[in-house]
Amino acid sequence: ICLSYRFQQGFYTPYYRIVDFYLPTLKIIIEIDGPCHDPEEDRRRDVWFERVRGIKTLRLTNEQVLKREFGIIDEFIFSRW
């Protein structure tokens, strides 16, 4: 699979990393979630990014990445329009 999106790996505040990957032209965050993620905290942060910055979040599990299930990214992007 060849992804044809221009990714920016994360973006940061002075104190901590905010996201795993960001597609600035589409205003989409891609997070890869392992077992240590707090779903409730993640949901609050996703809502904040969408409400305040107009940025949608797509969450992938470690298993999806290891299985190379990247078609999910296309589905997410095209479902927005």
Side-chain angles (χ1 to χ4, degrees), residues 18 29 31 33 37-52 55-59:
I18 296 178
I29 290 168
E31 285 282 352
D33 293 346
H37 276 259
D38 176 358
E40 187 58 37
E41 180 62 31
D42 291 342
R43 193 171 14 267
R44 279 195 296 271
R45 192 166 61 165
D46 296 349
V47 168
W48 182 87
F49 269 111
E50 187 168 0
R51 204 176 288 155
V52 174
I55 300 172
K56 294 241 185 218
T57 302
L58 170 62
R59 292 191 171 275

Side-chain angles (χ1 to χ4, degrees), residues 11-18 53:
F11 58 88
Y12 303 82
T13 70
Y15 303 105
Y16 70 98
R17 184 176 180 159
I18 296 178
R53 297 182 115 183

Side-chain angles (χ1 to χ4, degrees), residues 27 35 52 54 59 64 76:
K27 296 184 88 172
V52 174
R59 292 191 171 275
Q64 288 172 308
F76 182 80

Side-chain angles (χ1 to χ4, degrees), residues 2-81:
C2 176
L3 297 176
S4 59
Y5 303 108
R6 183 163 184 85
F7 289 92
Q8 171 182 324
Q9 186 174 4
F11 58 88
Y12 303 82
T13 70
Y15 303 105
Y16 70 98
R17 184 176 180 159
I18 296 178
V19 303
D20 294 329
F21 297 95
Y22 180 55
L23 284 79
T25 57
L26 298 173
K27 296 184 88 172
I28 294 175
I29 290 168
I30 298 178
E31 285 282 352
I32 301 170
D33 293 346
C36 64
H37 276 259
D38 176 358
E40 187 58 37
E41 180 62 31
D42 291 342
R43 193 171 14 267
R44 279 195 296 271
R45 192 166 61 165
D46 296 349
V47 168
W48 182 87
F49 269 111
E50 187 168 0
R51 204 176 288 155
V52 174
R53 297 182 115 183
I55 300 172
K56 294 241 185 218
T57 302
L58 170 62
R59 292 191 171 275
L60 301 173
T61 64
N62 285 342
E63 292 77 23
Q64 288 172 308
V65 173
L66 291 172
K67 291 179 183 176
R68 304 176 64 82
E69 295 177 0
F70 300 120
I72 296 166
I73 297 171
D74 282 333
E75 291 172 19
F76 182 80
I77 290 169
F78 291 117
S79 72
R80 294 180 62 213
W81 288 282

